[in-house]
Amino acid sequence: IASVQPYTPLELAGRDVYIAEGCYNCHSQMIRPIWAETKRYGEYSKPGEFVYDHPFQWGSRRIGPDLAREGGRQSNDWHVRHFENPRLLNGNSIMPTYEHLLKQPLDFEGIQRRVDVMAMLGVPYGEAVKNGKAVELARAQAAQMADDLVKQGGYKDMGDKKVIALVAYLQRIGKDISQPADAPATTPTTPAPPAPAAQAAPAAGGTPTLSTAT
């Protein structure tokens, strides 16, 4: 599927948090091609969507809802507060609280190793990411998401916490399938220094796209 791209370094780190916290024990990421599934969760899952998932997170139980189309359904602030205490948003939720993720620092320095390992497994990360830029890209995306979180009325100082990486991952899940197949991939580069205040332009939104060049 041409529109399916590798996870950004921050999203990859968030995926590691997702696995480490055992989220797959209650949430699947595979929508079956039957009416009851697509009516509730959205477009059914395609095998090609998981080509960069090592390992895939199809799961086998649904104590909680399927997350295959979770990306973009809720705001960053919603996700952070949901991790802090699910019952603040859903009084009947049996999901545990994950408020520790709002306090625990994210190991940014370990992200480069994870990207390099995925590249060894065949994930086509561009040279800019493989050659020591993954940490820089992850910090830039985390800072952007933290700014967006504050604009949404959320907590400050979340840019270096595990929760911001986990939210980045959740916001990505299932979105690539709906992107144009001929959308050009851009090679991530080192963020440029900020322009003078009088000339600064608004920061662009969205998720960084990684090059498929090897």
Side-chain angles (χ1 to χ4, degrees), residues 11-29 56-59 65-68 83 98 101 162 165-166 169-170 173:
E11 292 161 359
L12 183 62
R15 189 174 185 275
D16 287 343
V17 175
Y18 180 96
I19 294 173
E21 295 294 337
C23 301
Y24 56 85
N25 287 309
C26 295
H27 296 280
S28 61
Q29 289 186 34
F56 58 78
Q57 295 298 301
W58 291 353
D66 186 273
L67 300 179
F83 284 122
Y98 290 88
L101 298 179
K162 286 184 177 180
L166 182 52
Y169 171 61
L170 291 176
I173 297 176

Short mmCIF file of all heavy atoms in Angstrom, two decimals, residues 11-29 56-59 65-68 83 98 101 162 165-166 169-170 173:
data_model
loop_
_atom_site.label_atom_id
_atom_site.label_comp_id
_atom_site.label_asym_id
_atom_site.label_seq_id
_atom_site.Cartn_x
_atom_site.Cartn_y
_atom_site.Cartn_z
N GLU A 11 6.70 8.38 17.22
CA GLU A 11 5.61 7.39 17.19
C GLU A 11 6.14 5.99 17.49
O GLU A 11 5.47 5.20 18.17
CB GLU A 11 4.93 7.42 15.82
CG GLU A 11 4.16 8.70 15.56
CD GLU A 11 3.86 8.94 14.09
OE1 GLU A 11 4.28 8.12 13.24
OE2 GLU A 11 3.22 9.97 13.77
N LEU A 12 7.33 5.70 17.00
CA LEU A 12 7.94 4.40 17.27
C LEU A 12 8.21 4.25 18.77
O LEU A 12 7.98 3.19 19.35
CB LEU A 12 9.23 4.26 16.48
CG LEU A 12 9.96 2.92 16.60
CD1 LEU A 12 9.09 1.77 16.09
CD2 LEU A 12 11.28 2.95 15.84
N ALA A 13 8.68 5.32 19.40
CA ALA A 13 8.90 5.30 20.84
C ALA A 13 7.58 5.11 21.59
O ALA A 13 7.51 4.38 22.58
CB ALA A 13 9.59 6.59 21.29
N GLY A 14 6.53 5.76 21.11
CA GLY A 14 5.22 5.61 21.72
C GLY A 14 4.69 4.20 21.58
O GLY A 14 4.02 3.68 22.47
N ARG A 15 5.01 3.58 20.46
CA ARG A 15 4.59 2.19 20.25
C ARG A 15 5.27 1.27 21.25
O ARG A 15 4.67 0.33 21.75
CB ARG A 15 4.93 1.77 18.81
CG ARG A 15 4.36 0.43 18.40
CD ARG A 15 4.61 0.19 16.92
NE ARG A 15 3.96 -1.04 16.48
CZ ARG A 15 4.51 -2.25 16.59
NH1 ARG A 15 5.71 -2.38 17.12
NH2 ARG A 15 3.86 -3.31 16.17
N ASP A 16 6.53 1.56 21.57
CA ASP A 16 7.23 0.78 22.59
C ASP A 16 6.57 0.95 23.96
O ASP A 16 6.49 0.00 24.74
CB ASP A 16 8.69 1.21 22.66
CG ASP A 16 9.50 0.72 21.47
OD1 ASP A 16 9.03 -0.20 20.77
OD2 ASP A 16 10.59 1.25 21.23
N VAL A 17 6.11 2.17 24.26
CA VAL A 17 5.40 2.40 25.52
C VAL A 17 4.10 1.61 25.53
O VAL A 17 3.74 0.98 26.54
CB VAL A 17 5.12 3.91 25.72
CG1 VAL A 17 4.26 4.14 26.97
CG2 VAL A 17 6.42 4.70 25.83
N TYR A 18 3.40 1.62 24.42
CA TYR A 18 2.14 0.88 24.27
C TYR A 18 2.35 -0.60 24.58
O TYR A 18 1.58 -1.22 25.32
CB TYR A 18 1.64 1.07 22.84
CG TYR A 18 0.34 0.39 22.49
CD1 TYR A 18 -0.87 1.08 22.55
CD2 TYR A 18 0.31 -0.94 22.06
CE1 TYR A 18 -2.06 0.46 22.20
CE2 TYR A 18 -0.86 -1.56 21.71
CZ TYR A 18 -2.06 -0.87 21.79
OH TYR A 18 -3.24 -1.49 21.44
N ILE A 19 3.41 -1.17 24.01
CA ILE A 19 3.70 -2.59 24.23
C ILE A 19 4.15 -2.83 25.67
O ILE A 19 3.71 -3.79 26.31
CB ILE A 19 4.77 -3.06 23.24
CG1 ILE A 19 4.22 -3.02 21.80
CG2 ILE A 19 5.24 -4.48 23.57
CD1 ILE A 19 5.26 -3.30 20.74
N ALA A 20 5.01 -1.96 26.19
CA ALA A 20 5.53 -2.13 27.54
C ALA A 20 4.42 -2.07 28.59
O ALA A 20 4.47 -2.78 29.61
CB ALA A 20 6.59 -1.06 27.83
N GLU A 21 3.41 -1.25 28.35
CA GLU A 21 2.32 -1.11 29.31
C GLU A 21 1.25 -2.19 29.13
O GLU A 21 0.27 -2.22 29.87
CB GLU A 21 1.68 0.28 29.18
CG GLU A 21 2.60 1.43 29.56
CD GLU A 21 2.96 1.44 31.04
OE1 GLU A 21 2.19 0.85 31.84
OE2 GLU A 21 4.01 2.03 31.38
N GLY A 22 1.42 -3.07 28.14
CA GLY A 22 0.50 -4.18 27.96
C GLY A 22 -0.85 -3.80 27.38
O GLY A 22 -1.84 -4.50 27.60
N CYS A 23 -0.89 -2.71 26.61
CA CYS A 23 -2.16 -2.25 26.06
C CYS A 23 -2.81 -3.30 25.15
O CYS A 23 -4.04 -3.35 25.03
CB CYS A 23 -1.96 -0.95 25.29
SG CYS A 23 -1.27 0.40 26.28
N TYR A 24 -1.98 -4.13 24.53
CA TYR A 24 -2.49 -5.17 23.63
C TYR A 24 -3.29 -6.24 24.35
O TYR A 24 -4.00 -7.02 23.73
CB TYR A 24 -1.32 -5.83 22.89
CG TYR A 24 -0.27 -6.40 23.81
CD1 TYR A 24 -0.40 -7.67 24.35
CD2 TYR A 24 0.84 -5.64 24.16
CE1 TYR A 24 0.55 -8.18 25.22
CE2 TYR A 24 1.79 -6.13 25.02
CZ TYR A 24 1.64 -7.41 25.56
OH TYR A 24 2.58 -7.90 26.43
N ASN A 25 -3.19 -6.29 25.68
CA ASN A 25 -3.97 -7.28 26.43
C ASN A 25 -5.46 -6.98 26.41
O ASN A 25 -6.27 -7.89 26.62
CB ASN A 25 -3.48 -7.34 27.88
CG ASN A 25 -2.15 -8.03 28.02
OD1 ASN A 25 -1.96 -9.12 27.51
ND2 ASN A 25 -1.21 -7.38 28.70
N CYS A 26 -5.81 -5.72 26.20
CA CYS A 26 -7.22 -5.33 26.21
C CYS A 26 -7.69 -4.72 24.89
O CYS A 26 -8.91 -4.59 24.68
CB CYS A 26 -7.48 -4.33 27.34
SG CYS A 26 -7.25 -4.99 29.00
N HIS A 27 -6.77 -4.32 24.04
CA HIS A 27 -7.13 -3.65 22.79
C HIS A 27 -6.54 -4.39 21.60
O HIS A 27 -5.33 -4.62 21.54
CB HIS A 27 -6.64 -2.21 22.77
CG HIS A 27 -7.25 -1.34 23.80
ND1 HIS A 27 -8.50 -0.79 23.66
CD2 HIS A 27 -6.78 -0.91 25.00
CE1 HIS A 27 -8.78 -0.06 24.73
NE2 HIS A 27 -7.76 -0.11 25.56
N SER A 28 -7.38 -4.71 20.63
CA SER A 28 -6.90 -5.26 19.37
C SER A 28 -6.68 -4.13 18.38
O SER A 28 -7.12 -3.00 18.60
CB SER A 28 -7.90 -6.28 18.80
OG SER A 28 -9.14 -5.65 18.56
N GLN A 29 -5.99 -4.44 17.30
CA GLN A 29 -5.81 -3.49 16.20
C GLN A 29 -6.05 -4.22 14.88
O GLN A 29 -5.21 -4.23 13.99
CB GLN A 29 -4.41 -2.88 16.23
CG GLN A 29 -4.17 -1.91 17.36
CD GLN A 29 -2.82 -1.22 17.27
OE1 GLN A 29 -2.32 -0.94 16.18
NE2 GLN A 29 -2.23 -0.93 18.41
N PHE A 56 3.33 -7.00 14.91
CA PHE A 56 2.02 -6.39 14.72
C PHE A 56 1.22 -6.49 16.02
O PHE A 56 1.51 -7.33 16.88
CB PHE A 56 1.25 -7.04 13.56
CG PHE A 56 1.03 -8.52 13.70
CD1 PHE A 56 0.05 -9.02 14.54
CD2 PHE A 56 1.81 -9.43 12.99
CE1 PHE A 56 -0.18 -10.38 14.67
CE2 PHE A 56 1.61 -10.80 13.13
CZ PHE A 56 0.61 -11.27 13.96
N GLN A 57 0.20 -5.65 16.14
CA GLN A 57 -0.59 -5.57 17.36
C GLN A 57 -2.05 -5.96 17.12
O GLN A 57 -2.97 -5.32 17.63
CB GLN A 57 -0.51 -4.15 17.94
CG GLN A 57 0.88 -3.75 18.39
CD GLN A 57 1.38 -4.63 19.52
OE1 GLN A 57 0.77 -4.72 20.58
NE2 GLN A 57 2.50 -5.30 19.27
N TRP A 58 -2.25 -7.03 16.35
CA TRP A 58 -3.62 -7.43 16.06
C TRP A 58 -4.38 -7.78 17.33
O TRP A 58 -5.56 -7.49 17.44
CB TRP A 58 -3.63 -8.63 15.11
CG TRP A 58 -3.15 -8.27 13.73
CD1 TRP A 58 -2.87 -7.03 13.26
CD2 TRP A 58 -2.88 -9.18 12.66
NE1 TRP A 58 -2.46 -7.09 11.96
CE2 TRP A 58 -2.45 -8.40 11.56
CE3 TRP A 58 -2.97 -10.56 12.52
CZ2 TRP A 58 -2.11 -8.97 10.34
CZ3 TRP A 58 -2.62 -11.13 11.31
CH2 TRP A 58 -2.19 -10.34 10.23
N GLY A 59 -3.73 -8.43 18.27
CA GLY A 59 -4.38 -8.77 19.53
C GLY A 59 -5.35 -9.92 19.40
O GLY A 59 -5.64 -10.41 18.30
N PRO A 65 -12.15 -1.20 23.31
CA PRO A 65 -12.46 -1.14 21.87
C PRO A 65 -11.24 -1.38 21.00
O PRO A 65 -10.10 -1.20 21.43
CB PRO A 65 -13.00 0.29 21.69
CG PRO A 65 -12.39 1.07 22.80
CD PRO A 65 -12.31 0.12 23.97
N ASP A 66 -11.49 -1.80 19.77
CA ASP A 66 -10.42 -1.95 18.80
C ASP A 66 -9.85 -0.56 18.48
O ASP A 66 -10.59 0.42 18.41
CB ASP A 66 -10.95 -2.61 17.52
CG ASP A 66 -9.83 -2.91 16.54
OD1 ASP A 66 -9.50 -2.01 15.74
OD2 ASP A 66 -9.32 -4.04 16.56
N LEU A 67 -8.54 -0.48 18.28
CA LEU A 67 -7.88 0.81 18.06
C LEU A 67 -7.32 0.97 16.65
O LEU A 67 -6.56 1.90 16.38
CB LEU A 67 -6.73 0.98 19.07
CG LEU A 67 -7.14 0.97 20.54
CD1 LEU A 67 -5.91 1.11 21.42
CD2 LEU A 67 -8.15 2.06 20.85
N ALA A 68 -7.71 0.08 15.74
CA ALA A 68 -7.13 0.11 14.40
C ALA A 68 -7.37 1.42 13.66
O ALA A 68 -6.60 1.77 12.77
CB ALA A 68 -7.66 -1.06 13.57
N PHE A 83 -5.59 8.85 29.80
CA PHE A 83 -4.55 8.06 30.46
C PHE A 83 -4.44 8.40 31.94
O PHE A 83 -4.19 7.53 32.78
CB PHE A 83 -3.21 8.26 29.77
CG PHE A 83 -3.09 7.54 28.46
CD1 PHE A 83 -2.81 8.22 27.28
CD2 PHE A 83 -3.26 6.17 28.39
CE1 PHE A 83 -2.71 7.55 26.08
CE2 PHE A 83 -3.17 5.48 27.18
CZ PHE A 83 -2.89 6.18 26.03
N TYR A 98 -3.18 5.46 34.09
CA TYR A 98 -1.78 5.47 33.66
C TYR A 98 -1.19 6.85 33.91
O TYR A 98 -0.43 7.36 33.10
CB TYR A 98 -1.68 5.11 32.18
CG TYR A 98 -1.99 3.66 31.89
CD1 TYR A 98 -3.30 3.25 31.64
CD2 TYR A 98 -0.99 2.70 31.90
CE1 TYR A 98 -3.60 1.91 31.41
CE2 TYR A 98 -1.27 1.36 31.65
CZ TYR A 98 -2.57 0.98 31.41
OH TYR A 98 -2.86 -0.35 31.18
N LEU A 101 2.50 7.86 33.37
CA LEU A 101 3.05 8.23 32.07
C LEU A 101 3.13 9.75 31.89
O LEU A 101 3.87 10.23 31.04
CB LEU A 101 2.21 7.63 30.95
CG LEU A 101 2.15 6.10 30.89
CD1 LEU A 101 1.26 5.64 29.75
CD2 LEU A 101 3.55 5.51 30.74
N LYS A 162 6.60 10.35 28.72
CA LYS A 162 6.23 9.16 27.95
C LYS A 162 4.85 9.31 27.31
O LYS A 162 4.60 8.80 26.22
CB LYS A 162 6.24 7.92 28.84
CG LYS A 162 7.62 7.42 29.21
CD LYS A 162 7.53 6.13 30.02
CE LYS A 162 8.91 5.59 30.32
NZ LYS A 162 8.84 4.32 31.11
N ALA A 165 4.67 10.60 23.67
CA ALA A 165 5.04 9.63 22.64
C ALA A 165 3.90 8.64 22.41
O ALA A 165 3.60 8.30 21.26
CB ALA A 165 6.31 8.87 23.05
N LEU A 166 3.26 8.20 23.49
CA LEU A 166 2.15 7.26 23.36
C LEU A 166 0.99 7.89 22.61
O LEU A 166 0.37 7.25 21.74
CB LEU A 166 1.71 6.79 24.74
CG LEU A 166 0.58 5.76 24.79
CD1 LEU A 166 0.86 4.56 23.91
CD2 LEU A 166 0.33 5.33 26.23
N TYR A 169 1.72 7.99 18.90
CA TYR A 169 1.47 6.68 18.28
C TYR A 169 -0.02 6.46 18.05
O TYR A 169 -0.45 6.08 16.94
CB TYR A 169 2.03 5.58 19.17
CG TYR A 169 1.65 4.18 18.75
CD1 TYR A 169 2.02 3.68 17.51
CD2 TYR A 169 0.92 3.36 19.60
CE1 TYR A 169 1.67 2.39 17.11
CE2 TYR A 169 0.57 2.07 19.23
CZ TYR A 169 0.94 1.59 17.98
OH TYR A 169 0.58 0.33 17.60
N LEU A 170 -0.84 6.72 19.06
CA LEU A 170 -2.28 6.52 18.92
C LEU A 170 -2.87 7.41 17.83
O LEU A 170 -3.78 7.00 17.10
CB LEU A 170 -2.98 6.78 20.25
CG LEU A 170 -2.71 5.77 21.37
CD1 LEU A 170 -3.40 6.22 22.66
CD2 LEU A 170 -3.19 4.38 20.98
N ILE A 173 -2.27 5.69 14.34
CA ILE A 173 -2.80 4.37 14.02
C ILE A 173 -3.96 4.46 13.03
O ILE A 173 -4.94 5.16 13.25
CB ILE A 173 -3.29 3.64 15.28
CG1 ILE A 173 -2.11 3.40 16.24
CG2 ILE A 173 -3.93 2.30 14.93
CD1 ILE A 173 -2.54 2.76 17.55
#
